Amino acid sequence: FVGTADGSYGVEIAGGTLGMMVVTDTKTNATSYALSASGSLSLVGFDQSSLGAGITLTATASLQINTTGAAVNQTIQTSGGVVQLNYTDGTNGTADQRYLKVFSGSLALSIGGFLNLSGDFTLTIPPPNGGVSQILIGANNVTVSANDGTDPIVSITNGSLGLIISQSSGTTTFALQATGTVTLAGAVSATATVFYNTSTTAVTNVRVGAGGSSVLLNVAAGTVTTPYKHVALDSGSITLPGTNF
């Protein structure tokens, strides 16, 4: 449990497992490590708020980190079972996981019964490359619904998101691509993709991890003074009583 001292509000972590290997260089005494952790998260103390049904959050999450600079293949026995550390080094067609930081999982959030959100997500921090540091965020199977207590106001289904945040020489830029089917009041529906890029470098065929899958990003470059902004409508419909356009 992480929260208040009396345990009335916070986040409860259940069914968690953790496996960790620590490596010390005998010549330099430098320490590195590899770990894998997972568990289920839920909010405590938010069900009786004034927001009707309160705020509820359920999530499963996992964390993989490798700072050793090498491949790792280690089995660790814990009281909750076996934790496998398996990180590859890029040889023989494998992924380069010598320096890896990945946080992923799935979540479901409800606020007062009026707003519901769910989806699968991944946050990846790759090693710096050429003086550029990045954070990659991906989400898939995103569903959002909101209502006024009786009737639906807006919903988003089949949503996906890819976001690349980059920092170089003290300047931060980001590129975003998000897709989903938006329905307003159950009558107007459209599938749209939003593109946004504050960098002068285009993003071409870059895959960002998103839950158990990935999101492919292709976003044109902006200029020094103007970000690239574009919304593409793939399809749409308007439904009225007895009519469908």
Side-chain angles (χ1 to χ4, degrees), residues 109 113-118 143-147 152-156:
L109 173 67
F114 305 112
L115 176 67
N116 296 282
L117 181 150
S118 63
T143 300
V144 181
S145 63
N147 63 77
I153 299 173
V154 61
S155 69
I156 300 174

Side-chain angles (χ1 to χ4, degrees), residues 32-228:
S32 59
Y33 64 95
L35 72 79
S36 177
S38 63
S40 300
L41 288 73
S42 60
L43 291 179
V44 174
F46 290 87
D47 345 340
Q48 303 302 322
S49 74
S50 59
L51 288 173
I55 302 174
T56 60
L57 169 70
T58 56
T60 58
S62 64
L63 177 66
Q64 286 82 40
I65 299 178
N66 182 17
T67 67
T68 66
V72 175
N73 189 359
Q74 187 78 29
T75 299
I76 300 175
Q77 184 68 49
T78 73
S79 59
V82 173
V83 177
Q84 184 71 40
L85 301 180
N86 186 13
Y87 301 119
T88 51
D89 58 8
T91 59
N92 299 319
T94 62
D96 188 350
Q97 300 174 328
R98 293 173 296 170
Y99 298 95
L100 179 74
K101 294 180 181 179
V102 176
F103 179 68
S104 62
S106 60
L107 63 85
L109 173 67
S110 177
I111 300 178
F114 305 112
L115 176 67
N116 296 282
L117 181 150
S118 63
D120 305 318
F121 66 91
T122 298
L123 185 151
T124 305
I125 304 177
N129 184 13
V132 179
S133 299
Q134 290 186 325
I135 297 176
L136 313 180
I137 300 174
N140 237 332
N141 303 317
V142 176
T143 300
V144 181
S145 63
N147 63 77
D148 61 4
T150 304
D151 300 316
I153 299 173
V154 61
S155 69
I156 300 174
T157 57
N158 301 318
S160 65
L161 165 73
L163 173 64
I164 301 175
I165 303 172
S166 305
Q167 185 177 59
S168 177
S169 302
T171 300
T172 300
T173 60
F174 70 89
L176 165 74
Q177 182 173 326
T179 300
T181 300
V182 182
T183 302
L184 299 175
V188 180
S189 179
T191 299
T193 302
V194 177
F195 303 88
Y196 195 93
N197 191 357
T198 65
S199 170
T200 56
T201 302
V203 176
T204 305
N205 292 331
V206 174
R207 286 200 172 273
V208 175
S213 58
S214 63
V215 177
L216 180 64
L217 273 70
N218 283 287
V219 189
T223 67
V224 174
T225 57
T226 306
Y228 175 75

